[in-house]
Amino acid sequence: MSDDISDGTGFDEGPGADEELLEEELRQAASLLDPVPPALLQSAVDAFALRDLEARVAELTFDSLVDAIPVRGAAAAPRMLTFSAGEVTLDVEVTGEGLIGQVLPPAPARVEILTGPRPATTATTDDMGRFTATVTPSGPFALRLHTPDEVVMTEWLLT
């Protein structure tokens, strides 16, 4: 007598040869009838290449789209973002002309603005930790901060 107990559904067993053959046929049909767009595939490859296992992840602690109180009759204000990773804070203002930001505590740093399939734009902080970039993200973007001591990466956000 066997100790194996089956519920009769077949889910307790691994895939059989028929299921594997069907899966392969479906995969081939999908690649012919509904292929992955080249730009999306390139974005996925680039996103994987951009991973940095040594980087600390900066948490989004303030987003003016979510956290700010709207003011009636006020002109469209720039989007304000604050990211925190331990003692490091990154404040960013997203405007129609680009990004304005500050790293706190002030430190020499290089800030990469990652915008999906386009090449990263780099900005350098001044003595007060401030930086500007003339790129205005459209679509998903993230920031990677390189200080002398560490690398800090923000989560990806949509503009």
Side-chain angles (χ1 to χ4, degrees):
M1 181 172 204
S2 172
D3 290 336
D4 295 334
I5 299 175
S6 175
D7 62 2
T9 63
F11 289 116
D12 54 335
E13 304 165 6
D18 292 339
E19 288 88 3
E20 289 176 3
L21 181 60
L22 176 61
E23 182 179 344
E24 182 58 32
E25 287 177 7
L26 290 172
R27 186 175 287 117
Q28 288 176 3
S31 69
L32 290 173
L33 300 174
D34 190 19
V36 176
L40 181 61
L41 182 59
Q42 187 61 47
S43 291
V45 170
D46 291 344
F48 182 75
L50 291 173
R51 76 191 192 294
D52 191 345
L53 299 178
E54 298 293 319
R56 289 195 328 169
V57 177
E59 177 184 356
L60 179 65
T61 56
F62 177 81
D63 184 346
S64 62
L65 289 180
V66 177
D67 302 319
I69 299 171
V71 177
R72 189 171 66 157
R79 184 175 184 186
M80 306 296 291
L81 303 165
T82 300
F83 300 93
S84 299
E87 299 297 317
V88 176
T89 300
L90 179 60
D91 290 319
V92 180
E93 180 178 326
V94 182
T95 70
E97 292 79 37
L99 300 178
I100 302 169
Q102 185 172 21
V103 177
L104 296 170
R110 182 169 45 94
V111 180
E112 290 180 275
I113 298 99
L114 311 171
T115 54
R118 292 180 297 214
T121 301
T122 303
T124 305
T125 62
D126 64 11
D127 293 339
M128 299 293 291
R130 300 173 299 195
F131 66 93
T132 60
T134 56
V135 63
T136 300
S138 60
F141 77 99
L143 303 172
R144 183 184 296 136
L145 176 68
H146 298 267
T147 70
D149 300 327
E150 65 183 336
V151 176
V152 175
M153 178 82 180
T154 69
E155 60 188 88
W156 285 85
L157 296 173
L158 289 176
T159 54

PDB file of all heavy atoms in Angstrom, residues 3-40:
ATOM      1  N   ASP A   3       1.910   5.275   0.518  1.00  0.00           N
ATOM      2  CA  ASP A   3       1.629   6.368   1.442  1.00  0.00           C
ATOM      3  C   ASP A   3       1.149   7.617   0.712  1.00  0.00           C
ATOM      4  O   ASP A   3       0.699   8.558   1.328  1.00  0.00           O
ATOM      5  CB  ASP A   3       2.882   6.724   2.248  1.00  0.00           C
ATOM      6  CG  ASP A   3       3.224   5.628   3.241  1.00  0.00           C
ATOM      7  OD1 ASP A   3       2.307   4.865   3.615  1.00  0.00           O
ATOM      8  OD2 ASP A   3       4.398   5.534   3.625  1.00  0.00           O
ATOM      9  N   ASP A   4       1.278   7.656  -0.640  1.00  0.00           N
ATOM     10  CA  ASP A   4       0.855   8.820  -1.414  1.00  0.00           C
ATOM     11  C   ASP A   4      -0.666   8.886  -1.440  1.00  0.00           C
ATOM     12  O   ASP A   4      -1.340   7.912  -1.726  1.00  0.00           O
ATOM     13  CB  ASP A   4       1.370   8.758  -2.851  1.00  0.00           C
ATOM     14  CG  ASP A   4       2.891   8.832  -2.901  1.00  0.00           C
ATOM     15  OD1 ASP A   4       3.481   9.406  -1.961  1.00  0.00           O
ATOM     16  OD2 ASP A   4       3.483   8.307  -3.862  1.00  0.00           O
ATOM     17  N   ILE A   5      -1.185  10.063  -1.173  1.00  0.00           N
ATOM     18  CA  ILE A   5      -2.629  10.272  -1.198  1.00  0.00           C
ATOM     19  C   ILE A   5      -2.907  11.272  -2.301  1.00  0.00           C
ATOM     20  O   ILE A   5      -2.334  12.353  -2.350  1.00  0.00           O
ATOM     21  CB  ILE A   5      -3.140  10.810   0.150  1.00  0.00           C
ATOM     22  CG1 ILE A   5      -2.835   9.809   1.254  1.00  0.00           C
ATOM     23  CG2 ILE A   5      -4.620  11.131   0.067  1.00  0.00           C
ATOM     24  CD1 ILE A   5      -3.183  10.296   2.620  1.00  0.00           C
ATOM     25  N   SER A   6      -3.801  10.950  -3.202  1.00  0.00           N
ATOM     26  CA  SER A   6      -4.137  11.827  -4.311  1.00  0.00           C
ATOM     27  C   SER A   6      -5.573  12.300  -4.137  1.00  0.00           C
ATOM     28  O   SER A   6      -6.433  11.544  -3.696  1.00  0.00           O
ATOM     29  CB  SER A   6      -4.001  11.074  -5.639  1.00  0.00           C
ATOM     30  OG  SER A   6      -4.441  11.878  -6.709  1.00  0.00           O
ATOM     31  N   ASP A   7      -5.801  13.552  -4.513  1.00  0.00           N
ATOM     32  CA  ASP A   7      -7.164  14.072  -4.412  1.00  0.00           C
ATOM     33  C   ASP A   7      -7.923  13.891  -5.721  1.00  0.00           C
ATOM     34  O   ASP A   7      -9.053  14.328  -5.855  1.00  0.00           O
ATOM     35  CB  ASP A   7      -7.159  15.545  -3.986  1.00  0.00           C
ATOM     36  CG  ASP A   7      -6.445  16.451  -4.983  1.00  0.00           C
ATOM     37  OD1 ASP A   7      -5.975  15.955  -6.036  1.00  0.00           O
ATOM     38  OD2 ASP A   7      -6.355  17.663  -4.712  1.00  0.00           O
ATOM     39  N   GLY A   8      -7.273  13.301  -6.728  1.00  0.00           N
ATOM     40  CA  GLY A   8      -7.948  13.023  -7.980  1.00  0.00           C
ATOM     41  C   GLY A   8      -7.929  14.169  -8.978  1.00  0.00           C
ATOM     42  O   GLY A   8      -8.401  14.029 -10.096  1.00  0.00           O
ATOM     43  N   THR A   9      -7.360  15.322  -8.584  1.00  0.00           N
ATOM     44  CA  THR A   9      -7.339  16.468  -9.510  1.00  0.00           C
ATOM     45  C   THR A   9      -6.137  16.447 -10.430  1.00  0.00           C
ATOM     46  O   THR A   9      -6.143  17.086 -11.468  1.00  0.00           O
ATOM     47  CB  THR A   9      -7.322  17.794  -8.735  1.00  0.00           C
ATOM     48  OG1 THR A   9      -6.113  17.870  -7.970  1.00  0.00           O
ATOM     49  CG2 THR A   9      -8.535  17.937  -7.848  1.00  0.00           C
ATOM     50  N   GLY A  10      -5.070  15.773 -10.047  1.00  0.00           N
ATOM     51  CA  GLY A  10      -3.858  15.748 -10.852  1.00  0.00           C
ATOM     52  C   GLY A  10      -2.917  16.895 -10.531  1.00  0.00           C
ATOM     53  O   GLY A  10      -1.827  16.972 -11.073  1.00  0.00           O
ATOM     54  N   PHE A  11      -3.342  17.826  -9.654  1.00  0.00           N
ATOM     55  CA  PHE A  11      -2.491  18.969  -9.334  1.00  0.00           C
ATOM     56  C   PHE A  11      -1.357  18.602  -8.390  1.00  0.00           C
ATOM     57  O   PHE A  11      -0.424  19.365  -8.235  1.00  0.00           O
ATOM     58  CB  PHE A  11      -3.310  20.098  -8.715  1.00  0.00           C
ATOM     59  CG  PHE A  11      -4.217  20.771  -9.703  1.00  0.00           C
ATOM     60  CD1 PHE A  11      -5.587  20.716  -9.545  1.00  0.00           C
ATOM     61  CD2 PHE A  11      -3.696  21.442 -10.790  1.00  0.00           C
ATOM     62  CE1 PHE A  11      -6.419  21.325 -10.455  1.00  0.00           C
ATOM     63  CE2 PHE A  11      -4.522  22.057 -11.705  1.00  0.00           C
ATOM     64  CZ  PHE A  11      -5.895  22.004 -11.539  1.00  0.00           C
ATOM     65  N   ASP A  12      -1.454  17.460  -7.746  1.00  0.00           N
ATOM     66  CA  ASP A  12      -0.407  17.057  -6.834  1.00  0.00           C
ATOM     67  C   ASP A  12       0.768  16.433  -7.572  1.00  0.00           C
ATOM     68  O   ASP A  12       1.806  16.194  -6.995  1.00  0.00           O
ATOM     69  CB  ASP A  12      -0.956  16.091  -5.779  1.00  0.00           C
ATOM     70  CG  ASP A  12      -1.667  14.889  -6.405  1.00  0.00           C
ATOM     71  OD1 ASP A  12      -2.148  15.025  -7.541  1.00  0.00           O
ATOM     72  OD2 ASP A  12      -1.732  13.850  -5.739  1.00  0.00           O
ATOM     73  N   GLU A  13       0.624  16.230  -8.853  1.00  0.00           N
ATOM     74  CA  GLU A  13       1.682  15.638  -9.649  1.00  0.00           C
ATOM     75  C   GLU A  13       2.333  16.730 -10.480  1.00  0.00           C
ATOM     76  O   GLU A  13       1.735  17.760 -10.771  1.00  0.00           O
ATOM     77  CB  GLU A  13       1.100  14.569 -10.568  1.00  0.00           C
ATOM     78  CG  GLU A  13       0.335  13.493  -9.817  1.00  0.00           C
ATOM     79  CD  GLU A  13      -0.532  12.656 -10.744  1.00  0.00           C
ATOM     80  OE1 GLU A  13      -0.449  12.835 -11.971  1.00  0.00           O
ATOM     81  OE2 GLU A  13      -1.297  11.846 -10.220  1.00  0.00           O
ATOM     82  N   GLY A  14       3.578  16.507 -10.901  1.00  0.00           N
ATOM     83  CA  GLY A  14       4.259  17.463 -11.773  1.00  0.00           C
ATOM     84  C   GLY A  14       3.664  17.408 -13.165  1.00  0.00           C
ATOM     85  O   GLY A  14       2.844  16.538 -13.494  1.00  0.00           O
ATOM     86  N   PRO A  15       4.046  18.366 -14.017  1.00  0.00           N
ATOM     87  CA  PRO A  15       3.499  18.367 -15.372  1.00  0.00           C
ATOM     88  C   PRO A  15       3.951  17.135 -16.142  1.00  0.00           C
ATOM     89  O   PRO A  15       5.105  16.739 -16.080  1.00  0.00           O
ATOM     90  CB  PRO A  15       4.061  19.656 -15.973  1.00  0.00           C
ATOM     91  CG  PRO A  15       5.254  19.996 -15.151  1.00  0.00           C
ATOM     92  CD  PRO A  15       5.000  19.423 -13.790  1.00  0.00           C
ATOM     93  N   GLY A  16       3.020  16.555 -16.862  1.00  0.00           N
ATOM     94  CA  GLY A  16       3.337  15.405 -17.691  1.00  0.00           C
ATOM     95  C   GLY A  16       3.833  15.859 -19.047  1.00  0.00           C
ATOM     96  O   GLY A  16       3.896  17.047 -19.356  1.00  0.00           O
ATOM     97  N   ALA A  17       4.168  14.911 -19.886  1.00  0.00           N
ATOM     98  CA  ALA A  17       4.686  15.223 -21.216  1.00  0.00           C
ATOM     99  C   ALA A  17       3.649  15.972 -22.042  1.00  0.00           C
ATOM    100  O   ALA A  17       4.001  16.882 -22.805  1.00  0.00           O
ATOM    101  CB  ALA A  17       5.106  13.938 -21.917  1.00  0.00           C
ATOM    102  N   ASP A  18       2.359  15.619 -21.903  1.00  0.00           N
ATOM    103  CA  ASP A  18       1.313  16.303 -22.669  1.00  0.00           C
ATOM    104  C   ASP A  18       1.218  17.784 -22.290  1.00  0.00           C
ATOM    105  O   ASP A  18       1.092  18.649 -23.163  1.00  0.00           O
ATOM    106  CB  ASP A  18      -0.049  15.636 -22.443  1.00  0.00           C
ATOM    107  CG  ASP A  18      -0.122  14.235 -23.046  1.00  0.00           C
ATOM    108  OD1 ASP A  18       0.698  13.949 -23.947  1.00  0.00           O
ATOM    109  OD2 ASP A  18      -0.988  13.451 -22.620  1.00  0.00           O
ATOM    110  N   GLU A  19       1.287  18.069 -20.984  1.00  0.00           N
ATOM    111  CA  GLU A  19       1.202  19.452 -20.536  1.00  0.00           C
ATOM    112  C   GLU A  19       2.408  20.252 -21.002  1.00  0.00           C
ATOM    113  O   GLU A  19       2.277  21.408 -21.407  1.00  0.00           O
ATOM    114  CB  GLU A  19       1.076  19.533 -19.009  1.00  0.00           C
ATOM    115  CG  GLU A  19      -0.260  19.088 -18.465  1.00  0.00           C
ATOM    116  CD  GLU A  19      -0.310  17.585 -18.199  1.00  0.00           C
ATOM    117  OE1 GLU A  19       0.728  16.894 -18.383  1.00  0.00           O
ATOM    118  OE2 GLU A  19      -1.383  17.106 -17.816  1.00  0.00           O
ATOM    119  N   GLU A  20       3.592  19.657 -20.962  1.00  0.00           N
ATOM    120  CA  GLU A  20       4.799  20.352 -21.405  1.00  0.00           C
ATOM    121  C   GLU A  20       4.742  20.636 -22.896  1.00  0.00           C
ATOM    122  O   GLU A  20       5.126  21.719 -23.345  1.00  0.00           O
ATOM    123  CB  GLU A  20       6.040  19.539 -21.048  1.00  0.00           C
ATOM    124  CG  GLU A  20       6.324  19.525 -19.562  1.00  0.00           C
ATOM    125  CD  GLU A  20       7.510  18.635 -19.196  1.00  0.00           C
ATOM    126  OE1 GLU A  20       8.150  18.064 -20.112  1.00  0.00           O
ATOM    127  OE2 GLU A  20       7.788  18.526 -17.989  1.00  0.00           O
ATOM    128  N   LEU A  21       4.241  19.701 -23.687  1.00  0.00           N
ATOM    129  CA  LEU A  21       4.107  19.896 -25.126  1.00  0.00           C
ATOM    130  C   LEU A  21       3.087  20.998 -25.413  1.00  0.00           C
ATOM    131  O   LEU A  21       3.336  21.882 -26.251  1.00  0.00           O
ATOM    132  CB  LEU A  21       3.671  18.588 -25.805  1.00  0.00           C
ATOM    133  CG  LEU A  21       3.510  18.632 -27.315  1.00  0.00           C
ATOM    134  CD1 LEU A  21       4.816  19.012 -27.980  1.00  0.00           C
ATOM    135  CD2 LEU A  21       3.036  17.278 -27.825  1.00  0.00           C
ATOM    136  N   LEU A  22       1.957  21.002 -24.723  1.00  0.00           N
ATOM    137  CA  LEU A  22       0.947  22.037 -24.900  1.00  0.00           C
ATOM    138  C   LEU A  22       1.501  23.404 -24.518  1.00  0.00           C
ATOM    139  O   LEU A  22       1.297  24.395 -25.232  1.00  0.00           O
ATOM    140  CB  LEU A  22      -0.295  21.718 -24.054  1.00  0.00           C
ATOM    141  CG  LEU A  22      -1.403  22.767 -24.080  1.00  0.00           C
ATOM    142  CD1 LEU A  22      -1.934  22.957 -25.499  1.00  0.00           C
ATOM    143  CD2 LEU A  22      -2.523  22.375 -23.125  1.00  0.00           C
ATOM    144  N   GLU A  23       2.232  23.475 -23.420  1.00  0.00           N
ATOM    145  CA  GLU A  23       2.818  24.739 -22.988  1.00  0.00           C
ATOM    146  C   GLU A  23       3.788  25.278 -24.042  1.00  0.00           C
ATOM    147  O   GLU A  23       3.776  26.466 -24.367  1.00  0.00           O
ATOM    148  CB  GLU A  23       3.542  24.564 -21.654  1.00  0.00           C
ATOM    149  CG  GLU A  23       4.133  25.843 -21.115  1.00  0.00           C
ATOM    150  CD  GLU A  23       4.836  25.636 -19.773  1.00  0.00           C
ATOM    151  OE1 GLU A  23       4.629  24.599 -19.122  1.00  0.00           O
ATOM    152  OE2 GLU A  23       5.600  26.546 -19.402  1.00  0.00           O
ATOM    153  N   GLU A  24       4.603  24.419 -24.612  1.00  0.00           N
ATOM    154  CA  GLU A  24       5.546  24.845 -25.643  1.00  0.00           C
ATOM    155  C   GLU A  24       4.814  25.315 -26.895  1.00  0.00           C
ATOM    156  O   GLU A  24       5.189  26.326 -27.499  1.00  0.00           O
ATOM    157  CB  GLU A  24       6.519  23.709 -25.982  1.00  0.00           C
ATOM    158  CG  GLU A  24       7.560  24.082 -27.008  1.00  0.00           C
ATOM    159  CD  GLU A  24       8.422  25.274 -26.593  1.00  0.00           C
ATOM    160  OE1 GLU A  24       8.682  25.459 -25.392  1.00  0.00           O
ATOM    161  OE2 GLU A  24       8.827  26.036 -27.490  1.00  0.00           O
ATOM    162  N   GLU A  25       3.755  24.638 -27.288  1.00  0.00           N
ATOM    163  CA  GLU A  25       2.974  25.063 -28.458  1.00  0.00           C
ATOM    164  C   GLU A  25       2.311  26.424 -28.210  1.00  0.00           C
ATOM    165  O   GLU A  25       2.288  27.272 -29.099  1.00  0.00           O
ATOM    166  CB  GLU A  25       1.919  24.006 -28.799  1.00  0.00           C
ATOM    167  CG  GLU A  25       2.495  22.747 -29.418  1.00  0.00           C
ATOM    168  CD  GLU A  25       1.443  21.683 -29.689  1.00  0.00           C
ATOM    169  OE1 GLU A  25       0.233  21.963 -29.524  1.00  0.00           O
ATOM    170  OE2 GLU A  25       1.839  20.564 -30.050  1.00  0.00           O
ATOM    171  N   LEU A  26       1.778  26.632 -27.015  1.00  0.00           N
ATOM    172  CA  LEU A  26       1.176  27.918 -26.679  1.00  0.00           C
ATOM    173  C   LEU A  26       2.221  29.037 -26.666  1.00  0.00           C
ATOM    174  O   LEU A  26       1.959  30.156 -27.125  1.00  0.00           O
ATOM    175  CB  LEU A  26       0.467  27.843 -25.326  1.00  0.00           C
ATOM    176  CG  LEU A  26      -0.816  27.007 -25.297  1.00  0.00           C
ATOM    177  CD1 LEU A  26      -1.312  26.844 -23.863  1.00  0.00           C
ATOM    178  CD2 LEU A  26      -1.881  27.631 -26.173  1.00  0.00           C
ATOM    179  N   ARG A  27       3.407  28.759 -26.147  1.00  0.00           N
ATOM    180  CA  ARG A  27       4.487  29.738 -26.117  1.00  0.00           C
ATOM    181  C   ARG A  27       4.872  30.143 -27.544  1.00  0.00           C
ATOM    182  O   ARG A  27       5.046  31.330 -27.846  1.00  0.00           O
ATOM    183  CB  ARG A  27       5.689  29.167 -25.375  1.00  0.00           C
ATOM    184  CG  ARG A  27       6.809  30.177 -25.182  1.00  0.00           C
ATOM    185  CD  ARG A  27       7.950  29.640 -24.327  1.00  0.00           C
ATOM    186  NE  ARG A  27       7.530  29.580 -22.938  1.00  0.00           N
ATOM    187  CZ  ARG A  27       7.423  28.457 -22.223  1.00  0.00           C
ATOM    188  NH1 ARG A  27       7.726  27.304 -22.750  1.00  0.00           N
ATOM    189  NH2 ARG A  27       7.018  28.489 -20.982  1.00  0.00           N
ATOM    190  N   GLN A  28       4.993  29.162 -28.446  1.00  0.00           N
ATOM    191  CA  GLN A  28       5.346  29.454 -29.838  1.00  0.00           C
ATOM    192  C   GLN A  28       4.236  30.247 -30.534  1.00  0.00           C
ATOM    193  O   GLN A  28       4.521  31.183 -31.287  1.00  0.00           O
ATOM    194  CB  GLN A  28       5.627  28.159 -30.594  1.00  0.00           C
ATOM    195  CG  GLN A  28       6.931  27.495 -30.187  1.00  0.00           C
ATOM    196  CD  GLN A  28       7.141  26.158 -30.883  1.00  0.00           C
ATOM    197  OE1 GLN A  28       6.352  25.743 -31.712  1.00  0.00           O
ATOM    198  NE2 GLN A  28       8.226  25.486 -30.527  1.00  0.00           N
ATOM    199  N   ALA A  29       2.975  29.874 -30.290  1.00  0.00           N
ATOM    200  CA  ALA A  29       1.855  30.598 -30.898  1.00  0.00           C
ATOM    201  C   ALA A  29       1.829  32.047 -30.413  1.00  0.00           C
ATOM    202  O   ALA A  29       1.611  32.971 -31.205  1.00  0.00           O
ATOM    203  CB  ALA A  29       0.532  29.907 -30.574  1.00  0.00           C
ATOM    204  N   ALA A  30       2.049  32.257 -29.127  1.00  0.00           N
ATOM    205  CA  ALA A  30       2.045  33.615 -28.579  1.00  0.00           C
ATOM    206  C   ALA A  30       3.183  34.438 -29.174  1.00  0.00           C
ATOM    207  O   ALA A  30       3.008  35.620 -29.484  1.00  0.00           O
ATOM    208  CB  ALA A  30       2.155  33.584 -27.065  1.00  0.00           C
ATOM    209  N   SER A  31       4.359  33.839 -29.359  1.00  0.00           N
ATOM    210  CA  SER A  31       5.474  34.595 -29.918  1.00  0.00           C
ATOM    211  C   SER A  31       5.227  34.969 -31.371  1.00  0.00           C
ATOM    212  O   SER A  31       5.713  35.998 -31.841  1.00  0.00           O
ATOM    213  CB  SER A  31       6.785  33.822 -29.780  1.00  0.00           C
ATOM    214  OG  SER A  31       6.779  32.685 -30.623  1.00  0.00           O
ATOM    215  N   LEU A  32       4.447  34.179 -32.098  1.00  0.00           N
ATOM    216  CA  LEU A  32       4.128  34.498 -33.493  1.00  0.00           C
ATOM    217  C   LEU A  32       2.955  35.470 -33.604  1.00  0.00           C
ATOM    218  O   LEU A  32       2.987  36.411 -34.396  1.00  0.00           O
ATOM    219  CB  LEU A  32       3.796  33.222 -34.268  1.00  0.00           C
ATOM    220  CG  LEU A  32       4.957  32.261 -34.545  1.00  0.00           C
ATOM    221  CD1 LEU A  32       4.440  30.986 -35.172  1.00  0.00           C
ATOM    222  CD2 LEU A  32       5.985  32.933 -35.441  1.00  0.00           C
ATOM    223  N   LEU A  33       1.903  35.237 -32.822  1.00  0.00           N
ATOM    224  CA  LEU A  33       0.678  36.021 -32.946  1.00  0.00           C
ATOM    225  C   LEU A  33       0.668  37.298 -32.120  1.00  0.00           C
ATOM    226  O   LEU A  33       0.000  38.268 -32.478  1.00  0.00           O
ATOM    227  CB  LEU A  33      -0.529  35.159 -32.568  1.00  0.00           C
ATOM    228  CG  LEU A  33      -0.718  33.903 -33.432  1.00  0.00           C
ATOM    229  CD1 LEU A  33      -1.842  33.047 -32.869  1.00  0.00           C
ATOM    230  CD2 LEU A  33      -0.981  34.280 -34.877  1.00  0.00           C
ATOM    231  N   ASP A  34       1.385  37.314 -31.004  1.00  0.00           N
ATOM    232  CA  ASP A  34       1.396  38.478 -30.122  1.00  0.00           C
ATOM    233  C   ASP A  34       2.803  38.662 -29.544  1.00  0.00           C
ATOM    234  O   ASP A  34       3.030  38.506 -28.344  1.00  0.00           O
ATOM    235  CB  ASP A  34       0.374  38.282 -29.004  1.00  0.00           C
ATOM    236  CG  ASP A  34       0.162  39.545 -28.182  1.00  0.00           C
ATOM    237  OD1 ASP A  34       0.506  40.635 -28.664  1.00  0.00           O
ATOM    238  OD2 ASP A  34      -0.349  39.426 -27.053  1.00  0.00           O
ATOM    239  N   PRO A  35       3.769  39.028 -30.410  1.00  0.00           N
ATOM    240  CA  PRO A  35       5.152  39.142 -29.924  1.00  0.00           C
ATOM    241  C   PRO A  35       5.317  40.324 -28.970  1.00  0.00           C
ATOM    242  O   PRO A  35       4.552  41.292 -29.015  1.00  0.00           O
ATOM    243  CB  PRO A  35       5.962  39.349 -31.206  1.00  0.00           C
ATOM    244  CG  PRO A  35       4.997  39.958 -32.166  1.00  0.00           C
ATOM    245  CD  PRO A  35       3.647  39.368 -31.820  1.00  0.00           C
ATOM    246  N   VAL A  36       6.333  40.235 -28.131  1.00  0.00           N
ATOM    247  CA  VAL A  36       6.666  41.326 -27.215  1.00  0.00           C
ATOM    248  C   VAL A  36       7.224  42.476 -28.046  1.00  0.00           C
ATOM    249  O   VAL A  36       8.129  42.271 -28.856  1.00  0.00           O
ATOM    250  CB  VAL A  36       7.712  40.860 -26.174  1.00  0.00           C
ATOM    251  CG1 VAL A  36       8.130  42.010 -25.285  1.00  0.00           C
ATOM    252  CG2 VAL A  36       7.163  39.712 -25.353  1.00  0.00           C
ATOM    253  N   PRO A  37       6.689  43.687 -27.896  1.00  0.00           N
ATOM    254  CA  PRO A  37       7.214  44.827 -28.652  1.00  0.00           C
ATOM    255  C   PRO A  37       8.701  45.029 -28.350  1.00  0.00           C
ATOM    256  O   PRO A  37       9.123  44.922 -27.192  1.00  0.00           O
ATOM    257  CB  PRO A  37       6.398  46.023 -28.155  1.00  0.00           C
ATOM    258  CG  PRO A  37       5.155  45.415 -27.590  1.00  0.00           C
ATOM    259  CD  PRO A  37       5.554  44.066 -27.063  1.00  0.00           C
ATOM    260  N   PRO A  38       9.502  45.329 -29.372  1.00  0.00           N
ATOM    261  CA  PRO A  38      10.951  45.480 -29.159  1.00  0.00           C
ATOM    262  C   PRO A  38      11.309  46.522 -28.095  1.00  0.00           C
ATOM    263  O   PRO A  38      12.234  46.315 -27.313  1.00  0.00           O
ATOM    264  CB  PRO A  38      11.480  45.901 -30.535  1.00  0.00           C
ATOM    265  CG  PRO A  38      10.455  45.408 -31.504  1.00  0.00           C
ATOM    266  CD  PRO A  38       9.142  45.459 -30.781  1.00  0.00           C
ATOM    267  N   ALA A  39      10.576  47.637 -28.045  1.00  0.00           N
ATOM    268  CA  ALA A  39      10.881  48.670 -27.048  1.00  0.00           C
ATOM    269  C   ALA A  39      10.639  48.152 -25.630  1.00  0.00           C
ATOM    270  O   ALA A  39      11.401  48.454 -24.711  1.00  0.00           O
ATOM    271  CB  ALA A  39      10.040  49.915 -27.300  1.00  0.00           C
ATOM    272  N   LEU A  40       9.581  47.373 -25.440  1.00  0.00           N
ATOM    273  CA  LEU A  40       9.288  46.805 -24.124  1.00  0.00           C
ATOM    274  C   LEU A  40      10.352  45.787 -23.725  1.00  0.00           C
ATOM    275  O   LEU A  40      10.807  45.758 -22.583  1.00  0.00           O
ATOM    276  CB  LEU A  40       7.900  46.168 -24.111  1.00  0.00           C
ATOM    277  CG  LEU A  40       7.455  45.552 -22.791  1.00  0.00           C
ATOM    278  CD1 LEU A  40       7.401  46.597 -21.691  1.00  0.00           C
ATOM    279  CD2 LEU A  40       6.100  44.898 -22.954  1.00  0.00           C
TER     280      LEU A  40
END
